[in-house]
Amino acid sequence: MSRLVIEQIAVLSDNYIHLLHEPDSGATAAVDPAVAQPVLDLLAARGWRLTHILNTHHHGDHTGGNLDLRRATGARVVGARKDAGRIPGLDVEVGEGDTFLLGHAAAVVFETPGHTDGHIAFWFPDSAALFCGDTLFSLGCGRLFEGTADQMWDSLSKLRDLPEHTRVFCAHEYTAANGRFAKVLDRDNAALKQRIDDVARLNAAGRSSVPSTLAEERATNPFLRADRAEIARAVGLPPGTAAALVFAELRRRKDVF
Ligand code: ZN
Ligand code: FE
């Protein structure tokens, strides 16, 4: 069992790259490196050597730094088997239920289709850390570019079932905007109100709202609450409507919010 040191780098307008360092072996991974230079700078500052690049999906704002980092460091690129051919430099192909070892730290791989067909998430249980890319966001979820609402609901349900102390390291700072949508739907949710206030304070101080915990997301994220009567009612569907249908309606409304 080995606990990771986790660093966050804010890049582009709202992307996060996470650097994971496993202290016993020195193994170090960059998760979803949109760009290379800020990663190289932080590696130099910490005296770490990059051994892996973990990609949750093929979009350019998650893989743009792959080839430069691989060339500069020799790091191996880990990504979905289903994305072979569209993840630049893919060396190690993984799929549902695979274990990936970063030094002595083990991650379980989940396939989480919806945002893209090949989207995956990496869960490091000993570090209580989930890297979920553009599937689950704080107070929101990714758009359905390639998958169906049914698939995305299944993917989110899988992540929702992880231990509640799990820290949710998503790939974008979208929380405040997501909160504006969430509060319209879930007006009486005190935990949501509190979270929105906390995020406003964090953003005003120039600080990140990521990670949240899964406990917080379960209590506040409308997309994880599609099986609750008050959320169905809020989108005009009768209580007892299948959660995947409520989810589909939530996603449709958010797309045009
Ligand atoms: Zn994406
Ligand atoms: Fe993205």
Side-chain angles (χ1 to χ4, degrees):
M1 160 156 172
S2 186
R3 281 182 76 85
L4 299 171
V5 178
I6 301 173
E7 300 261 11
Q8 185 175 77
I9 311 172
V11 300
L12 307 182
S13 55
D14 49 39
N15 276 78
Y16 288 126
I17 302 171
H18 292 101
L19 263 194
L20 320 183
H21 179 70
E22 196 281 290
D24 298 336
S25 65
T28 302
V31 182
D32 285 349
V35 291
Q37 194 57 49
V39 174
L40 294 171
D41 292 345
L42 185 56
L43 289 166
R46 295 287 178 274
W48 296 345
R49 191 176 70 79
L50 195 71
T51 56
H52 296 85
I53 293 164
L54 309 183
N55 291 131
T56 61
H57 65 296
H58 74 283
H59 284 159
D61 63 317
H62 298 255
T63 59
N66 275 19
L67 294 181
D68 285 347
L69 285 172
R70 189 171 177 260
R71 207 174 300 122
T73 65
R76 309 247 295 155
V77 177
V78 182
R81 188 167 300 119
K82 285 184 182 150
D83 273 338
R86 55 182 198 172
I87 286 185
L90 183 62
D91 295 300
V92 182
E93 299 178 7
V94 295
E96 177 73 20
D98 285 351
T99 297
F100 165 74
L101 281 178
L102 180 66
H104 304 293
V108 180
V109 175
F110 297 111
E111 293 182 352
T112 57
H115 179 68
T116 66
D117 284 335
H119 200 296
I120 58 174
F122 296 88
W123 175 46
F124 289 86
D126 294 340
S127 297
L130 173 70
F131 299 89
C132 50
D134 290 359
T135 295
L136 173 61
F137 291 128
S138 186
L139 300 184
C141 75
R143 280 177 187 263
L144 304 178
F145 285 124
E146 297 176 4
T148 65
D150 272 6
Q151 283 179 311
M152 189 62 145
W153 173 248
D154 285 348
S155 297
L156 291 171
S157 301
K158 206 185 287 187
L159 301 182
R160 187 178 66 164
D161 285 344
L162 296 175
E164 63 173 15
H165 62 279
T166 303
R167 293 174 294 165
V168 179
F169 290 92
C170 57
H172 289 275
E173 181 63 55
Y174 288 161
T175 317
N178 288 338
R180 288 192 279 279
F181 175 72
K183 78 176 179 200
V184 171
L185 290 155
D186 210 358
R187 293 178 188 283
D188 302 323
N189 185 331
L192 173 61
K193 285 199 186 85
Q194 182 65 55
R195 173 71 175 147
I196 289 170
D197 289 350
D198 291 347
V199 169
R201 251 192 311 276
L202 287 168
N203 287 355
R207 291 175 57 199
S208 173
S209 70
V210 175
S212 56
T213 66
L214 210 45
E216 287 179 289
E217 296 305 323
R218 280 185 200 151
T220 58
N221 187 328
F223 294 96
L224 295 188
R225 296 163 62 75
D227 51 358
R228 297 181 65 102
E230 65 266 37
I231 300 295
R233 211 178 299 118
V235 294
L237 293 169
T241 303
L245 291 177
V246 176
F247 172 78
E249 180 60 15
L250 281 173
R251 190 57 261 178
R252 194 188 64 72
R253 289 187 182 211
K254 176 67 162 63
D255 286 347
V256 297
F257 182 71

